[in-house]
Amino acid sequence: MSLADVVIRLHAFAGAVALGSMWIPMFSRKGGSLHRKAGRVFTGSMACAAATALAASVLRLVERPDAPQGPVLLSLVAIQSAAATWWGVAVLRRKARDGSSRSLPDWLAAAALLVSGFLALAYWLQGAMPLIALFGALNVVFGLRFAHVLGRAPTSRFWWWYEHLFGMLVACIGTLTAFFVVNYRHTPAAFQSAIPGLAVWIAPGLIGGLAIALLTHHYRAKLEGPRT
């Protein structure tokens, strides 16, 4: 078994664990023992999935330097998912922050998103496929969001909850996107004719983004009351 085979199998296993475990924190009592334990399983498996995705990308680039777009896209998704997972966990440790953040790892997560995003957009301008531009733009947007939150004092006592929700749901969207994309190729031809591959890449993000907006609004109203 080659190194690439080992990495891919580890990635598939970690992704399966993430996909199975992510539902428990969503629907269990927030802050409860089951929520925390399942959350640790999810974040650990996401870390492994992101690391093996980056390793697989490097190995594919070495093996096929003439076909870089697939590995680049995989790397963008991995960086986005890893940064979102880190963000969702890190904010829980910074609840008491009353000024701008001095946490180097948090700033590095934002920087990784920004650098990868801008490089992807530059690559797209050189002729890369539109999906690279899309995920590059998302990385830039998320990186700017993280930097904005890190660079100022919190404006709400519940800021960490909204950011935890955002980070974890973005990571879940990445997990679902990977699952649908990988399995799309095994669907019947009639299904692929009815639903183009681009929709499989985009739909989880659109639906997930709406869910994030609705849930954030719900929890703001629940925790802070209606805005005047």
Side-chain angles (χ1 to χ4, degrees), residues 123-174:
Y123 184 35
W124 170 67
L125 291 174
Q126 298 299 315
M129 59 182 168
L131 274 175
I132 287 179
L134 173 62
F135 280 90
L138 284 173
N139 280 16
V140 170
V141 170
F142 292 160
L144 290 174
R145 177 197 171 101
F146 290 1
H148 177 70
V149 174
L150 291 169
R152 66 172 186 168
T155 57
S156 167
R157 59 181 291 204
F158 301 107
W159 72 274
W160 56 271
W161 169 243
Y162 308 137
E163 296 303 318
H164 173 70
L165 181 72
F166 177 82
M168 291 293 98
L169 287 182
V170 168
C172 290
I173 291 169

Side-chain angles (χ1 to χ4, degrees), residues 12-210:
F13 176 75
V17 173
L19 181 65
S21 63
M22 74 181 195
W23 306 102
I24 301 174
M26 282 188 192
F27 297 106
S28 58
R29 184 174 65 85
K30 303 300 179 282
S33 175
L34 182 60
H35 179 93
R36 294 195 303 271
K37 289 178 180 177
R40 293 190 191 101
V41 173
F42 175 71
T43 54
S45 58
M46 283 298 294
C48 181
T52 50
L54 289 172
S57 298
V58 172
L59 291 172
R60 284 179 61 184
L61 282 172
V62 171
E63 182 182 346
R64 290 286 308 278
D66 58 321
Q69 295 194 62
V72 168
L73 182 58
L74 180 60
S75 296
L76 287 171
V77 176
I79 291 170
Q80 184 182 119
S81 298
T85 304
W86 172 263
W87 186 252
V89 173
V91 293
L92 298 178
R93 303 169 182 168
R94 327 271 191 243
K95 293 181 183 180
R97 177 166 67 86
D98 57 3
S100 60
S101 176
R102 298 181 180 179
S103 171
L104 180 59
D106 294 354
W107 281 103
L108 287 176
L113 287 166
L114 288 169
V115 170
S116 64
F118 282 123
L119 288 176
L121 290 173
Y123 184 35
W124 170 67
L125 291 174
Q126 298 299 315
M129 59 182 168
L131 274 175
I132 287 179
L134 173 62
F135 280 90
L138 284 173
N139 280 16
V140 170
V141 170
F142 292 160
L144 290 174
R145 177 197 171 101
F146 290 1
H148 177 70
V149 174
L150 291 169
R152 66 172 186 168
T155 57
S156 167
R157 59 181 291 204
F158 301 107
W159 72 274
W160 56 271
W161 169 243
Y162 308 137
E163 296 303 318
H164 173 70
L165 181 72
F166 177 82
M168 291 293 98
L169 287 182
V170 168
C172 290
I173 291 169
T175 303
L176 285 172
T177 300
F179 173 77
F180 289 135
V181 168
V182 168
N183 288 281
Y184 176 75
R185 71 188 70 173
H186 304 299
T187 57
F191 180 86
Q192 296 185 24
S193 298
I195 301 178
L198 184 62
V200 179
W201 279 98
I202 295 176
L206 292 176
I207 297 171
L210 177 61

